[in-house]
Amino acid sequence: MNTKQTGNYGEYLACQYLKKQGFKILERNFRIRGGEIDIVAKDKNDLVFVEVKTRYTHEFGHPAEAVTPWKIKFLIRASQFYLARQKLLDKPFRIDVVTVDFTDGQKIELIKNITG
């Protein structure tokens, strides 16, 4: 699998996982200049922007380690753009990460509110 296929498969699995956790998937691959938000979802009353990181090896570290400070800044900016575009600036939101790790079987983990 190439990196795009790996990412798409990880996002698919993340969506399935989030649905089982009670999330409603609103949108996938919301693109703006400079990147994209993998998943936009609703968790009860909160709008959630989800970054998905998928790994088959730990050669470059655990999947969560790939969410750098630069990536977090981008996700905040992209989230604000999405909220403004949808006229939802007054709505509560958070940014979560879902890691999909295939190094020892298949492990999916949800890390809520990475911005604190």
Side-chain angles (χ1 to χ4, degrees), residues 58-91:
H58 286 170
E59 182 178 345
F60 300 105
H62 184 273
E65 293 173 329
V67 184
T68 63
W70 180 90
K71 184 64 175 183
I72 291 169
K73 277 184 184 179
F74 167 79
L75 290 167
I76 291 168
R77 187 170 40 104
S79 299
Q80 291 168 338
F81 181 84
Y82 181 91
L83 292 168
R85 187 175 188 189
Q86 301 296 324
K87 297 179 177 44
L88 298 171
L89 288 171
D90 60 332
K91 298 291 181 191

Side-chain angles (χ1 to χ4, degrees), residues 1 4 14 19 26 29 42 49 56 60 69 76 88-89 97 99-100 113:
M1 241 189 258
K4 179 142 178 63
K19 287 177 188 175
L26 302 176
N29 303 318
K42 192 125 179 169
F49 300 96
Y56 279 94
F60 300 105
I76 291 168
L88 298 171
L89 288 171
V97 172
T99 62
V100 181
N113 200 14

Side-chain angles (χ1 to χ4, degrees), residues 6 8 14 28 30 44 54 57-58 61 71 75 79 107:
T6 297
N8 287 341
R28 285 185 60 186
F30 175 74
K44 297 180 182 77
T54 306
T57 74
H58 286 170
K71 184 64 175 183
L75 290 167
S79 299
K107 182 180 177 190

Side-chain angles (χ1 to χ4, degrees), residues 2 8 12 20 23 25-26 28 31 40-41 44 53 56 61 65 76 79 87 96 98 104 106 112:
N2 65 35
N8 287 341
Y12 167 79
K20 287 180 186 172
F23 286 64
I25 306 303
L26 302 176
R28 285 185 60 186
R31 296 182 193 283
V40 180
K44 297 180 182 77
K53 290 297 179 187
Y56 279 94
E65 293 173 329
I76 291 168
S79 299
K87 297 179 177 44
D96 294 354
V98 172
D104 187 26
Q106 177 182 303
K112 289 187 175 184

